[in-house]
Amino acid sequence: PRSAFGASPPGGHRQRPGEAGSAAVTRQVSLGDIELAAGRLAGQVLDTPCLESRTLSQIVGARVFLKFENLQFTASFKERGALNKLLSLVAERDAGRLDLRGVIAASAGNHAQGVAHHAQRLGLRAVIVMPQFTPTVKVERTLGFGAEVVLHGETFDAAREHALALAAQQGLAFVHPFDDPLVIAGQG
């Protein structure tokens, strides 16, 4: 069996803790990948409307349509990518190819909430590393979705590095906010 974006595990190899989701995008995401993600997400997130904005259309001299992802439970399209990644991880775990002890992400906002919300729905432990400057409202909202929040570093890069270290130490799958083909396909 093949994983969604990689080669078959050799000899039934189960990924070690911290391995899953830590690689950067290594291939282009196709329309087919986006369509597969849409199928996975069907019924789990809102099918939000895409409506024409007459005001913006007049301003730019072209037809402009807006996708109302602010109607999602977490008020952002980011939860689509997070959920697509989490569903893939759960499938890998259920097939015996991944030792999934929980997930971890680095984010100061919408991705954090998407991961936290859907991890809670799927019964997964979620740890979110946020830069120390993250607004209290974002921290509280993420905590409200059941995640463990770790405030670390002055920058996103510092938070991400800390999250990767915690992923390796605790056997958590890192869910990157944008540099992951499953996240990209889900957001698409």
Side-chain angles (χ1 to χ4, degrees), residues 1 28 43 45 54 66 74 83 107 111 118 128 137 156 159 177 180:
Q28 200 169 18
V45 293
R54 288 185 287 171
L66 302 176
T74 63
L83 178 56
S107 171
H111 178 67
H118 289 292
I128 309 296
V137 68
F156 169 77
D180 181 298

Side-chain angles (χ1 to χ4, degrees), residues 72-182:
Q72 294 297 348
F73 189 70
T74 63
S76 171
F77 72 96
K78 291 282 198 161
E79 78 174 76
R80 291 179 180 273
L83 178 56
N84 193 47
K85 178 66 175 186
L86 296 182
L87 290 172
S88 175
L89 291 169
V90 167
E92 291 290 306
R93 177 201 65 198
D94 292 350
R97 293 186 296 265
L98 177 65
D99 180 15
L100 183 63
R101 298 177 190 160
V103 295
I104 190 165
S107 171
N110 294 330
H111 178 67
Q113 292 173 32
V115 170
H117 169 60
H118 289 292
Q120 183 179 54
R121 282 186 52 239
L122 296 169
L124 297 172
R125 176 183 177 215
V127 178
I128 309 296
V129 181
M130 302 176 122
Q132 292 174 344
F133 65 82
T134 303
T136 303
V137 68
K138 296 283 190 178
V139 174
E140 292 299 322
R141 184 87 167 134
T142 305
L143 286 167
F145 289 125
E148 302 164 37
V149 172
V150 176
L151 297 175
H152 181 87
E154 297 294 319
T155 65
F156 169 77
D157 287 342
R160 186 194 68 226
E161 290 305 314
H162 189 63
L164 289 170
L166 290 175
Q169 291 168 4
Q170 298 180 27
L172 303 173
F174 183 72
V175 181
H176 200 287
F178 56 85
D179 201 10
D180 181 298
L182 288 164

